């Protein structure tokens, strides 16, 4: 589809065709896997030209590879970014973004509810390199602004956040850049991948993803990606991911991800449809204290922002809190009983797979986050996080019905 203007195409067409120029050797329809560590040259001049950047080409897979490049161009197109760089994991993408764009003495304003490992990087690892973070509720614009210091270089957040599904207004935070030039807004968009939400179109500068989740979508790859301007991606690629610290994706994983992305629109829309139906059911259950899902009117201000920025789709993730004291069970015991009683979902971390996954954030994904910090943002012992899969939603509802009946 090399002659077509991708910008004029709709999401599903771009998800299938963007980034791939049909193989010129044999016409392969699927993207070939260039499973090679190094690349050969026809002459010394050719080699020197590629290494100096004067001749386009590849020299070594740590620094770039044609299969990986197809994925990078595809996701850049879907996120409306100028460029992208793939990493070996979501955490590789996040740490490379921080290493690539920040320097000793810099300060980050970070959302107070982020993935547990991101929290540890910000709280425990970056300070050793002279980079500090202040944690705030990024939905509270005044709190974000109050946390900005003269050396603040980045505002980093997830929306919806893991696991509370708390929503931050991306355009409003990006609006602060007018008053505070030199700050980049970085959004972890793992919970709301395109076509749900495109932060760069709302004023964010950089998007990071755990590709492990909805983008690959089949639970069989670990991968990450950063999308942004050509200059930012070049800095991240050269200072971190590829060339220097060396956490690139593998060509085989890139092939798997490209394959998964061809059905991304279909899959993600179905995850969202299932999640909304299940969230509404959970809300009606007397043993459930609170349901967190951005598509529910009961989410109040979060719902109002989500309506504006999530393209009428609200993602496939739900968290809910069991009612303390229901039939004599503590909320924690009830959460454990429900996790053991449901039959379709697997007890597992991760998300965005066809298979539904259920987990307990306080004891699993967020166990390393200090208890007081966890509880302050609502990650209580009675909370269950559910990645709504692509099973028939009636079967999922029936499964919860039987699990709740056993309480
Ligand atoms: C929101 C979010 N960001 C980043 C990550 C890290 O991704 P990975 O496991 O691919 O390193 C996760 C993992 O669960 C996540 O949920």
């Amino acid at each position: 589809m090399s002659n077509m203007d991708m910008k004029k195409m709709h999401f599903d067409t771009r998800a299938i065709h963007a980034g791939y120029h049909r193989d010129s050797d044999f016409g392969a329809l699927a993207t070939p896997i260039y499973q090679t560590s190094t690349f050969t040259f026809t002459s010394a001049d050719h080699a020197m030209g590629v290494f100096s950047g004067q001749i386009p080409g590849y020299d070594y897979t740590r620094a770039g590879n044609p299969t990986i490049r197809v994925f990078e161009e595809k996701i850049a197109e879907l996120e409306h970014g100028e460029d992208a760089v793939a990493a070996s994991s979501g955490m590789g993408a996040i740490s490379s973004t921080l290493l690539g764009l920040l320097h000793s003495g810099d300060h980050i304003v970070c959302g107070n509810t982020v993935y547990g490992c991101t929290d540890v990087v910000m709280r425990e690892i970056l300070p050793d390199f002279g980079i500090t973070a202040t944690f705030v509720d990024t939905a509270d614009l005044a709190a974000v602004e109050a946390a900005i210091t003269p050396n603040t270089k980045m505002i980093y957040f997830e929306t919806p956040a893991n696991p509370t599904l708390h929503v931050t207004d991306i355009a409003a935070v990006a609006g602060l850049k007018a008053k505070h030039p030199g700050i980049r807004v970085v959004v972890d968009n793992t919970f709301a991948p395109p076509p749900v939400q495109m932060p760069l179109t709302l004023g964010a500068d950089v998007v990071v993803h755990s590709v492990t989740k909805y983008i690959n979508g089949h639970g069989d790859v670990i991968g990450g990606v950063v999308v942004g301007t050509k200059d930012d991606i070049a800095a991240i690629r050269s200072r971190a991911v590829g060339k220097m610290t060396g956490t690139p994706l593998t060509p085989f994983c890139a092939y798997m991800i490209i394959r998964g992305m061809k059905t991304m629109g279909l899959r993600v829309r179905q995850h969202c449809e299932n999640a909304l139906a299940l969230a509404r059911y959970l809300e009606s259950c007397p043993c459930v204290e609170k349901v967190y899902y951005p598509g529910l009117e009961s989410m109040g201000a979060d719902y109002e922002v989500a309506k504006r920025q999530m393209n009428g789709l609200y993602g496939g993730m739900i968290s809910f809190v069991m009612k303390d004291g229901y039939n004599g069970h503590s909320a924690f015991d009830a959460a454990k009983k429900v996790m053991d009683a449901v039959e379709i979902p697997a007890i597992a971390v991760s998300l965005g797979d066809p298979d539904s996954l259920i987990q307990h954030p306080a004891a699993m994904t967020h166990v390393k986050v200090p208890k007081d910090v966890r509880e302050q943002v609502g990650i209580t012992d009675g909370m269950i996080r559910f990645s709504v899969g692509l099973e028939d939603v009636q079967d999922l509802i029936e499964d919860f019905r039987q699990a709740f009946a056993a309480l």
Side-chain angles (χ1 to χ4, degrees):
M1 221 190 181
S2 50
N3 296 327
M4 306 294 274
D5 180 358
M6 280 301 150
K7 302 272 176 273
K8 292 192 182 144
M9 300 292 158
H10 293 89
F11 183 86
D12 290 339
T13 311
R14 287 186 287 129
I16 293 170
H17 293 284
Y20 185 41
H21 309 282
R22 191 84 43 87
D23 162 45
S24 55
D25 285 342
F26 302 107
L29 175 69
T31 307
I33 307 173
Y34 288 90
Q35 190 67 35
T36 183
S37 46
T38 196
F39 293 83
T40 62
F41 304 98
T42 52
S43 66
D45 275 345
H46 180 213
M48 291 173 195
V50 170
F51 269 82
S52 70
Q54 280 165 344
I55 300 175
Y58 296 93
D59 50 58
Y60 191 59
T61 282
R62 170 154 50 77
N65 173 289
T67 311
I68 300 169
R69 191 64 194 145
V70 173
F71 161 55
E72 290 172 343
E73 288 187 9
K74 199 184 275 297
I75 189 67
E77 187 68 45
L78 298 185
E79 280 285 12
H80 298 268
E82 287 177 11
D83 202 358
V85 59
S88 58
S89 69
M91 285 317 300
I94 291 165
S95 54
S96 294
T97 300
L98 301 171
L99 271 181
L101 298 180
L102 297 173
H103 299 84
S104 179
D106 288 349
H107 172 255
I108 308 169
V109 177
C110 182
N112 62 5
T113 312
V114 288
Y115 174 54
C117 296
T118 307
D119 191 89
V120 171
V121 170
M122 299 273 184
R123 218 176 274 277
E124 295 177 22
I125 298 177
L126 288 186
D128 287 346
F129 298 91
I131 299 167
T132 53
T134 302
F135 296 85
V136 300
D137 174 2
T138 46
D140 179 347
L141 217 53
V144 175
E145 198 161 15
I148 293 174
T149 64
N151 56 343
T152 302
K153 293 287 162 31
M154 187 179 282
I155 303 174
Y156 180 104
F157 58 92
E158 296 173 6
T159 181
N162 181 4
T164 58
L165 284 306
H166 188 34
V167 175
T168 289
D169 187 334
I170 299 169
V173 173
L176 293 174
K177 290 188 292 177
K179 262 184 22 203
H180 303 276
I183 294 181
R184 286 185 183 83
V185 172
V186 179
V187 179
D188 181 335
N189 204 28
T190 300
F191 270 40
V196 177
Q197 174 176 279
M198 280 76 108
L200 300 178
T201 65
L202 300 166
D205 301 287
V206 178
V207 163
V208 292
H209 273 285
S210 169
V211 174
T212 314
K213 312 299 182 332
Y214 295 98
I215 293 179
N216 175 61
H218 291 76
D220 48 12
V221 157
I222 297 281
V225 75
V226 191
V227 190
T229 62
K230 276 195 187 316
D231 285 351
D232 279 353
I233 296 304
I236 294 164
R237 192 188 290 280
S238 64
R239 274 171 59 87
V241 179
K243 288 211 162 149
M244 297 309 156
T245 53
T247 61
L249 194 66
T250 64
F252 181 69
C253 285
Y255 162 81
M256 298 282 277
I257 294 163
I258 292 162
R259 189 173 188 267
M261 286 176 79
K262 293 195 180 197
T263 55
M264 199 167 144
L266 280 172
R267 285 188 290 102
V268 170
R269 286 191 292 269
Q270 191 62 48
H271 280 290
C272 296
E273 192 180 311
N274 284 4
L276 183 59
L278 186 63
R280 289 203 196 290
Y281 163 72
L282 291 170
E283 249 191 342
S284 73
C285 297
C287 62
V288 173
E289 176 74 42
K290 168 93 186 137
V291 182
Y292 296 92
Y293 183 68
L296 293 178
E297 294 79 357
S298 57
M299 288 285 279
D302 292 53
Y303 171 67
E304 292 306 321
V305 177
K307 252 197 317 191
R308 282 204 303 278
Q309 73 184 15
M310 294 181 78
N311 293 326
L313 300 164
Y314 298 98
M317 295 300 295
I318 299 175
S319 290
F320 59 97
V321 178
M322 299 305 296
K323 191 169 279 172
D324 204 35
Y326 181 83
N327 280 354
H329 301 291
S330 71
F332 180 55
D333 279 345
K336 281 201 295 184
K337 280 193 179 348
V338 169
M339 288 171 68
D340 286 339
V342 283
E343 288 170 358
I344 297 172
I347 300 179
V349 296
S350 205
L351 52 125
D353 297 350
D355 316 54
S356 288
L357 305 174
I358 193 164
Q359 70 108 1
H360 188 269
M364 293 170 71
T365 45
H366 290 67
V367 68
K368 292 242 157 60
V369 180
K371 190 173 165 63
D372 58 322
V373 175
R374 243 180 13 233
E375 289 188 344
Q376 230 171 28
V377 298
I379 308 172
T380 59
D381 287 347
M383 177 182 268
I384 291 173
R385 191 189 80 178
F386 193 68
S387 170
V388 185
L390 297 175
E391 300 95 347
D392 191 295
V393 72
Q394 282 314 316
D395 294 335
L396 293 176
I397 289 172
E398 283 314 313
D399 199 10
F400 274 104
R401 207 188 302 280
Q402 66 78 21
F404 293 157
L407 280 177

